[in-house]
Amino acid sequence: MILKFLRLFKIVRVAVRYGLDDIAMSGFDTPRISKLIDTLIFWRDISAPRGERLRMALEELGPIFVKFGQVLSTRRDLLPEDMVDELARLQDRVPPFSTELAIAQIEKSLKGHPDELFASFDRVPVASASIAQVHFATLKDGKEVAVKVLRPGMKKSIDEDVALMHIAAGLVEKLWADGRRLKAREVVGEFDKYLHDELDLMREAANGSQLRRNFADSHLLVVPEMYWDYCSPSVIVMERMHGIPISQLDRLREAGVDLSKLSRDGVEIFFTQVFRDGFFHADMHPGNILVSVAPATFGRYIALDFGIVGTLNDFDKDYLSQNFLAFFQRDYKRVAEAHIESGWAPKETRVDELESAVRACCEPIFDRPLKDISFGQVLLRLFQTSRRFNVEVQPQLVLLQKTLLNVEGLGRQLDPELDLWKTAKPYLERWMSEQLGWRGLIQQLKIEMPRYSKLLPQLPRLAHQALTQAVEPKTEESNALMWQLIAEQRQTNRFLGMLVYVGGGLAAGVLLTLLYLRFAHMIWW
């Protein structure tokens, strides 16, 4: 209890020092309370911009609050521009914890001392962050690995700090004018879940394994292998990756890496993860990306740190692909209609007004190289438009927005001349063709065929049972059976209709081809 009180006292002290109360009190219609507080605390200096003061306060409060600020920096739909820009500057600058603690964590989790488990274990950590740190080691079979160790005592620290954040979020919603729209308690709830997910390193290992399987045959991305015999919720061991950090452009040029191709490959990797797999690496900042210079994988991306991934369902992917293609084709009316059809914009929204607003946001960015535009600024203007029309920003798309900004940053760094739109458009058109064209139809038939192969032989028996029971008094069971028969018959009709459609189309295509060849043969001779 005393420790919690001391922590709360520190948070209040830091908040007062940096004038966070002044930011909260800006929501009052009258400045009297704010003036009263300034009079009582006359010695503090809060002349710095509010965004800068917020960032400095979070940095002083420690790693958990820094990470919370990083999460908030992705919510440009919720926070004012000046505050988000400052929060985006937050970086994990956390000193490593002692090697003794790391060894104790490994012993507890893997039931053995590192000197017994590994042929060699580097006592000096190679990287340290707010949640964990990494040591290099070598397995007894000679394989080089990276050992990620969870920072001790993190769960208790997180639980205490997040509990205080929930209290603060409730106050923000009451005191700040934008508090309700900010959805402070909802944001803290998302952050709570996200942090506790990161505390389970087995989840991160599973994410990495899934991504590696998705790109098993790819010539664009390399993902380290997880060694499951050495993995636990607080320690994971993965293949050690050798490469050049993507931010070190001079070293990449010296190694002979084609930076223009690398930038285009990054865009393709992103859209492949989003639209093909619906599963994407959502923490693609330069610190988590290497470039391989090994002969077998030269020039490929190497992904690290899989604690944060995003997922999209079929509805999300279809909605996004339609919007992207509509943007590329400058069909702003279709963009507006898609927002309303999906329910993300209120049904009473006028299509022409939303269309006009989206056009004003997006039209200036086309036909210009990436170096001349900022996709981040375009997103910001779109979010401002969203607030005007009460468009709900879906939680599952927040990570996607953040990742797209990371991709823009990497593209701008590697090749300022990259045209993000022209690079992405062919891939999206190909994906739409595969999903909605005849390839998509055949794929769906392959998926549904096992079900229909089991269903079709049962139809005569179901029909006989239904006809037999038709003359008997109807019961709830017989009604249920009748509805089942009707539902199955409708599905069968749809299936047969698709077969007729496909078969008829193929037959017509063959007939037209034969007629064309016959006609061409007659003309030639």
Side-chain angles (χ1 to χ4, degrees):
M1 180 61 71
I2 296 178
L3 292 177
K4 290 183 179 179
F5 176 78
L6 291 176
R7 181 61 172 163
L8 179 60
F9 176 77
K10 180 181 179 180
I11 293 173
V12 172
R13 178 177 60 80
V14 171
V16 171
R17 177 183 175 186
Y18 290 101
L20 301 189
D21 57 289
D22 180 70
I23 299 175
M25 294 301 174
S26 64
F28 285 112
D29 294 331
T30 172
R32 293 178 182 176
I33 297 179
S34 181
K35 288 182 178 180
L36 176 60
I37 294 176
D38 288 340
T39 302
L40 294 174
I41 317 174
F42 60 87
W43 61 86
R44 67 178 180 177
D45 180 12
I46 56 173
S47 58
R50 62 179 182 175
E52 180 180 342
R53 288 186 277 125
L54 176 59
R55 173 180 59 81
M56 294 173 65
L58 294 177
E59 287 178 336
E60 186 168 331
L61 288 172
I64 305 304
F65 284 84
V66 166
K67 192 165 283 290
F68 182 59
Q70 292 171 341
V71 172
L72 283 180
S73 69
T74 67
R75 300 308 302 265
R76 290 183 176 268
D77 59 314
L78 299 178
L79 288 177
E81 177 181 359
D82 60 324
M83 297 175 69
V84 172
D85 288 341
E86 278 293 332
L87 292 178
R89 298 175 58 190
L90 288 170
Q91 300 292 329
D92 278 323
R93 290 187 288 266
V94 183
F97 53 90
S98 69
T99 301
E100 289 73 20
L101 286 175
I103 291 176
Q105 186 80 288
I106 293 173
E107 283 189 290
K108 179 181 178 181
S109 300
L110 303 183
K111 310 302 180 186
H113 193 279
D115 292 337
E116 300 172 353
L117 297 170
F118 307 104
S120 65
F121 179 80
D122 192 347
R123 261 60 175 173
V124 179
V126 68
S128 177
S130 58
I131 298 295
Q133 69 183 32
V134 178
H135 295 257
F136 286 151
T138 304
L139 296 179
K140 292 185 177 181
D141 61 2
K143 294 179 180 177
E144 294 181 322
V145 295
V147 182
K148 188 169 186 177
V149 185
L150 189 69
R151 189 175 288 270
M154 284 303 298
K155 187 177 187 307
K156 181 180 178 182
S157 176
I158 287 175
D159 288 342
E160 292 175 353
D161 280 352
V162 170
L164 296 175
M165 286 181 185
H166 279 289
I167 297 174
L171 294 176
V172 166
E173 290 194 354
K174 292 180 180 179
L175 299 178
W176 197 12
D178 273 350
R180 290 186 179 179
R181 188 189 61 79
L182 179 63
K183 300 178 182 178
R185 285 180 290 186
E186 180 181 327
V187 171
V188 171
E190 290 179 12
F191 176 67
D192 189 358
K193 179 181 180 300
Y194 151 75
L195 265 186
H196 282 86
D197 286 348
E198 266 203 299
L199 288 177
D200 185 358
L201 295 187
M202 283 292 286
R203 183 186 295 267
E204 176 178 344
N207 292 339
S209 180
Q210 176 71 54
L211 191 63
R212 176 182 171 87
R213 186 162 60 253
N214 290 347
F215 283 83
D217 300 323
S218 172
H219 298 289
L220 302 177
L221 180 66
V222 180
V223 181
E225 179 184 358
M226 298 294 165
Y227 296 101
W228 294 107
D229 291 340
Y230 300 90
C231 291
S232 72
S234 53
V235 177
I236 58 174
V237 176
M238 68 189 78
E239 176 186 4
R240 178 178 174 179
M241 308 305 293
H242 295 273
I244 300 174
I246 200 168
S247 58
Q248 298 182 11
L249 301 185
D250 291 338
R251 289 185 60 191
L252 291 173
R253 292 191 185 96
E254 291 175 3
V257 176
D258 185 344
L259 298 187
S260 296
K261 180 180 183 301
L262 196 63
S263 64
R264 296 192 299 272
D265 289 348
V267 175
E268 183 172 348
I269 290 171
F270 170 74
F271 283 101
T272 299
Q273 291 181 72
V274 171
F275 291 105
R276 187 194 69 182
D277 305 326
F279 183 90
F280 59 94
H281 189 299
D283 202 13
M284 293 180 63
H285 63 74
N288 287 339
I289 302 294
L290 304 178
V291 179
S292 175
V293 291
T297 57
F298 184 82
R300 299 185 193 178
Y301 281 81
I302 299 174
L304 303 173
D305 195 345
F306 313 101
I308 309 174
V309 298
T311 57
L312 299 172
N313 58 33
D314 289 340
F315 175 83
D316 294 330
K317 290 192 292 184
D318 180 64
Y319 167 81
L320 287 170
S321 61
Q322 289 190 40
N323 271 275
F324 272 120
L325 284 177
F327 275 125
F328 294 147
Q329 297 166 358
R330 306 192 194 189
D331 187 356
Y332 304 117
K333 181 179 180 181
R334 179 57 196 149
V335 174
E337 290 174 344
H339 275 73
I340 297 173
E341 290 171 2
S342 66
W344 292 2
K347 292 183 179 180
E348 62 272 14
T349 302
R350 288 184 53 177
V351 174
D352 58 336
E353 290 183 355
L354 185 55
E355 173 191 358
S356 177
V358 173
R359 181 184 294 109
C361 289
C362 301
E363 189 64 23
I365 71 175
F366 286 101
D367 298 326
R368 301 172 64 187
L370 191 59
K371 67 176 182 178
D372 295 334
I373 65 173
S374 170
F375 195 79
Q377 292 300 318
V378 175
L379 278 180
L380 176 59
R381 294 182 65 185
L382 283 173
F383 291 151
Q384 291 171 340
T385 301
S386 298
R387 288 199 294 268
R388 173 186 166 191
F389 289 92
N390 295 319
V391 175
E392 295 183 9
V393 178
Q394 304 302 300
Q396 69 271 26
L397 300 184
V398 172
L399 284 177
L400 182 68
Q401 296 160 358
K402 169 183 177 291
T403 307
L404 193 51
L405 288 174
N406 290 145
V407 171
E408 178 200 19
L410 288 174
R412 188 184 298 278
Q413 184 182 42
L414 296 170
D415 181 13
E417 299 295 333
L418 173 69
D419 189 328
L420 183 65
W421 312 112
K422 290 182 180 179
T423 305
K425 184 179 178 182
Y427 180 84
L428 283 174
E429 289 178 337
R430 184 170 67 251
W431 183 85
M432 288 290 288
S433 174
E434 292 174 352
Q435 294 299 309
L436 303 179
W438 64 272
R439 293 187 185 90
L441 177 61
I442 292 177
Q443 183 64 28
Q444 288 299 316
L445 287 175
K446 289 180 179 179
I447 295 173
E448 295 291 339
M449 189 63 70
R451 180 183 177 188
Y452 285 118
S453 64
K454 181 179 179 181
L455 170 67
L456 289 174
Q458 299 178 18
L459 286 179
R461 176 175 56 80
L462 292 173
H464 180 267
Q465 290 178 354
L467 292 173
T468 301
Q469 295 176 4
V471 296
E472 300 177 0
K474 292 186 178 181
T475 64
E476 292 185 3
E477 182 178 355
S478 63
N479 286 335
L481 182 62
M482 180 61 72
W483 283 114
Q484 179 185 0
L485 175 64
I486 293 173
E488 300 290 357
Q489 186 63 48
R490 287 175 178 172
Q491 291 180 351
T492 303
N493 289 341
R494 286 197 294 268
F495 173 70
L496 293 175
M498 285 190 292
L499 288 179
V500 171
Y501 174 78
V502 174
L506 291 174
V510 171
L511 180 61
L512 289 174
T513 302
L514 292 174
L515 290 174
Y516 171 77
L517 294 175
R518 178 70 175 176
F519 180 72
H521 178 76
M522 293 174 64
I523 293 178
W524 177 260
W525 293 102

